[in-house]
């Protein structure tokens, strides 16, 4: 399947909520939480007012005009906070498109652009 990796458009920032939900680890056999879980303040830290912080950066994977994956970074006080110079990373691909190298391509492109 052909896809492109590109920067997210400002009008697509709301899509990060969908990808935030998809990034939640759910073990096999466990019922997924309701989508409203992403409204918790500790999860909203990943997406709230995205694009307004100087270090916010996001890339998406697009197939035939549809965004199917996203990777984004921002400096925030989250679970894995290191310091105020090291961004945290979030990434997910919609289930239908997993296992096709899209996540790897997103990560590789982000690393190329951040170095």
């Amino acid at each position: 399947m052909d896809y492109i990796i590109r920067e997210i458009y400002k009008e697509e920032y709301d899509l990060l909520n969908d990808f935030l939900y998809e990034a939640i680890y759910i073990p096999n056999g466990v019922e997924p939480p309701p989508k409203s879980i992403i409204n918790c303040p500790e999860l909203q830290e990943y997406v709230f007012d995205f694009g307004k912080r100087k270090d916010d950066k996001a890339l998406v994977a697009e197939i035939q005009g549809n965004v199917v994956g996203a990777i984004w970074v921002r400096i925030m006080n989250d679970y894995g906070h290191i310091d105020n110079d090291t961004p945290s990373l979030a990434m997910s691909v919609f289930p239908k498109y997993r296992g096709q190298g899209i996540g790897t391509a997103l990560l590789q492109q982000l690393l190329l652009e951040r170095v």
Side-chain angles (χ1 to χ4, degrees), residues 10-25:
K10 192 174 192 170
E11 59 270 13
E12 295 172 325
Y13 287 167
D14 284 345
L15 291 175
L16 293 179
N17 283 300
D18 296 329
F19 289 106
L20 177 63
Y21 181 75
E22 292 299 329
I24 298 170
Y25 173 69

Side-chain angles (χ1 to χ4, degrees), residues 40-96:
C40 296
E42 59 270 21
L43 291 178
Q44 274 299 295
E45 181 65 20
Y46 286 83
V47 296
F48 182 74
D49 278 346
F50 192 85
K52 293 186 177 180
R53 298 181 190 174
K54 70 179 180 81
D55 294 308
D56 286 355
K57 176 160 182 74
L59 301 175
V60 296
E62 179 184 305
I63 296 175
Q64 298 176 340
N66 297 307
V67 175
V68 301
I71 188 167
W72 66 102
V73 293
R74 80 181 332 187
I75 307 264
M76 61 183 154
N77 191 13
D78 67 337
Y79 300 112
H81 181 74
I82 296 170
D83 59 41
N84 290 332
D85 296 315
T86 306
S88 295
L89 178 140
M91 177 176 77
S92 66
V93 175
F94 287 143
K96 177 180 174 182

